[in-house]
């Protein structure tokens, strides 16, 4: 499967990139960058760092630093990502440079040069780049096989509560208008929300972190070091973005429900909330039937086995 990764590296984005590059089922055509966990420039440098570390030559293009409404997207969450977005390891500045083309145009070019249904987009940051490419060329956007978006808190499982506000997940909260555009695009959208990514069965806990450190290889030390802040601050690391990539490799890792999702863009306390109408007795109009495939359960053990084998051990 050919994939384009749109991300805001970000520690878990970096691990998702490693998983994708290290999976023979995927061919990474491009990495496009959006601000979020850190600034657009830092996120770009971090993606280039990971590609250089792994020795992969994949085009990287910079996208949006501001949301659809013009707000700054970057909101560094240093307790997990550090100040530079990659755990403040002071990794060398990469020799590899980003492409001169804008992320949105690179996505459009890749879709134009491939057949219908050949490319899956995996978005692990705010959805600004994705919304803007859909708006810019909807006919081309319809060629996409699937958009897998890490984002949302759908209040379906006990874990599906917010992480930026009591009800909003970070990627959606940074650009709710973009999320609404993507969710209502009528494209094949799968949402990997906190309902599954905050399920403790997928967490890397202190014990697992110790095991990763004990492997004492270049790769295991890199992984152990970039997740260290989260382990120290919270006692665990939640691999949100690697799960989104894992689902493109093995969709059976999750249970999915087609649901109708509205994104709140106005509420003083609810902006960025992803709302599902659970009223089973209410007859829904055609345009209120499902618009998003929402992940509602996950096989944590099988996911962690894949993560350990492909992110920690073999690259
Ligand atoms: O809420 C978690 C998501 O927000 C992850 O994608 C993380 O990298 C941040 O972008
Ligand atoms: Ca991310």
């Amino acid at each position: 499967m050919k994939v384009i990764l749109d991300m805001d590296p970000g520690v878990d984005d970096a691990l998702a990139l490693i998983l994708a590059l290290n999976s023979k089922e995927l061919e990474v055509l491009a990495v496009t960058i959006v601000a979020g966990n850190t600034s657009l420039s830092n996120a770009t440098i971090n993606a280039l760092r990971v590609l250089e570390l792994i020795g992969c030559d994949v085009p990287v293009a910079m996208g949006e630093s501001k949301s659809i409404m013009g707000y700054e997207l970057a909101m560094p969450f240093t307790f997990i990502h550090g100040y530079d977005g990659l755990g403040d390891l002071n990794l060398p500045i990469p020799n590899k440079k980003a492409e001169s083309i804008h992320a949105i145009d690179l996505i459009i070019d890749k879709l134009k040069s491939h057949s219908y249904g050949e490319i899956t987009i995996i978005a692990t940051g705010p959805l600004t780049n994705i919304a803007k490419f859909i708006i810019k060329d909807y006919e081309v956007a319809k060629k996409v096989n699937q958009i897998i978006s890490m984002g949302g808190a759908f209040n379906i499982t006990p874990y599906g509560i917010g992480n930026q506000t009591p009800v909003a997940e970070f990627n959606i909260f940074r650009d709710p208008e973009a999320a609404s555009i993507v969710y209502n695009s009528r494209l094949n959208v799968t949402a990997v929300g906190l309902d599954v990514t905050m399920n403790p069965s997928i967490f890397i806990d202190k014990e697992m972190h110790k095991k990763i450190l004990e492997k004492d290889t270049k790769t295991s030390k890199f992984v152990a070091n970039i997740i260290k802040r989260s382990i120290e601050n919270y006692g665990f690391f939640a691999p949100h973005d690697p799960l989104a990539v894992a689902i493109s490799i093995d969709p059976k890792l999750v249970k999915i429900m087609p649901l109708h999702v509205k994104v709140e863009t106005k509420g003083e306390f609810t902006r960025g909330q992803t709302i599902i109408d659970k009223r089973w007795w209410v007859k829904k109009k055609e345009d209120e039937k499902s618009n998003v495939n929402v992940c509602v359960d996950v096989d944590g053990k099988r996911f962690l086995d894949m993560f350990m084998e492909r992110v920690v051990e073999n690259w």
Side-chain angles (χ1 to χ4, degrees):
M1 174 193 293
K2 298 181 191 295
V3 298
I4 294 173
L5 305 179
D6 186 78
M7 33 183 41
D8 62 330
V11 168
D12 57 329
D13 303 75
L15 297 173
L17 177 53
I18 292 170
L19 175 59
L21 293 168
N22 231 17
S23 295
K24 60 185 183 321
E25 301 87 344
L26 303 182
E27 180 189 352
V28 182
L29 297 179
V31 178
T32 52
I33 307 296
V34 63
N37 286 320
T38 186
S39 65
L40 183 65
S41 53
N42 266 351
T44 304
I45 290 169
N46 291 336
L48 293 167
R49 277 170 166 156
V50 170
L51 288 168
E52 218 154 73
L53 192 70
I54 300 213
C56 285
D57 188 18
V58 170
V60 174
M62 299 172 77
E64 298 297 316
S65 61
K66 288 190 170 28
S67 69
I68 295 266
M69 300 298 281
Y71 304 124
E72 283 300 328
L73 285 167
M75 187 178 197
F77 200 61
T78 57
F79 288 132
I80 292 177
H81 303 283
Y83 289 91
D84 71 356
L86 206 56
D88 294 338
L89 302 183
N90 293 318
L91 293 170
I93 295 296
N95 296 314
K96 185 174 163 57
K97 298 281 179 266
E99 308 295 313
S100 52
I101 187 172
H102 189 282
I104 293 168
D105 296 321
L106 182 57
I107 293 171
I108 290 171
D109 284 358
K110 290 294 181 187
L111 283 169
K112 275 182 177 170
S113 57
H114 287 82
S115 317
Y116 264 82
E118 215 180 340
I119 295 178
T120 288
I121 294 176
I122 305 173
T124 60
L127 287 166
T128 316
N129 289 342
I130 308 305
K132 285 198 162 186
F133 109 79
I134 291 172
I135 291 166
K136 183 164 186 177
D137 198 330
Y138 187 58
E139 282 313 302
V140 166
K142 286 193 290 189
K143 295 181 71 175
V144 76
N145 168 51
Q146 179 182 21
I147 297 173
I148 300 174
S149 159
M150 189 282 132
F154 301 92
N155 196 22
I156 292 173
T157 74
Y159 318 110
I161 56 177
N163 60 3
Q164 272 304 288
T165 74
V167 294
E169 178 278 328
F170 180 87
N171 287 332
I172 307 300
F173 182 71
R174 300 311 300 152
D175 199 341
E177 284 78 10
S180 186
I181 289 165
V182 175
Y183 283 6
N184 292 308
S185 64
R186 298 180 188 279
L187 300 177
N188 175 15
V189 179
T190 297
V192 188
L194 299 179
D195 302 74
V196 289
T197 70
M198 283 300 283
N199 183 321
S201 72
I202 76 163
F203 285 174
I204 296 172
D205 58 18
K206 282 186 175 167
E207 193 188 321
M208 200 168 173
H209 185 241
K210 196 161 164 285
K211 276 195 196 131
I212 294 173
L213 266 173
E214 282 162 3
K215 290 184 187 305
D216 199 25
T217 63
K218 181 184 86 165
T219 56
S220 63
K221 279 189 280 193
F222 174 76
V223 173
N225 286 336
I226 66 171
I227 68 173
K228 192 169 62 179
R229 278 171 182 272
S230 181
I231 299 283
E232 287 168 353
N233 290 319
Y234 300 102
F236 68 89
F237 173 79
H240 304 283
D241 298 340
L243 182 60
V245 169
I247 289 166
S248 73
I249 299 164
D250 179 358
K252 292 192 177 55
L253 282 171
V254 289
K255 182 173 171 236
I256 282 180
M257 282 174 71
L259 295 168
H260 190 272
V261 183
K262 286 187 172 63
V263 182
E264 176 58 67
T265 57
K266 304 271 182 300
E268 181 183 353
F269 302 109
T270 56
R271 179 167 161 78
Q273 185 174 5
T274 44
I275 299 159
I276 289 167
D277 186 345
K278 297 182 193 172
R279 296 171 299 168
W280 51 268
W281 61 92
V282 171
K283 192 166 170 17
K284 306 243 179 358
K285 296 194 289 294
E286 198 48 43
D287 66 351
E288 293 196 329
K289 296 213 168 117
S290 69
N291 57 348
V292 181
N293 296 311
V294 178
C295 295
V296 296
D297 201 1
V298 59
D299 183 337
K301 181 181 179 326
R302 277 198 325 112
F303 164 72
L304 283 176
D305 288 348
M306 179 194 283
F307 182 87
M308 287 302 284
E309 189 224 331
R310 299 186 189 204
V311 177
V312 176
E313 281 152 14
N314 305 310
W315 54 278

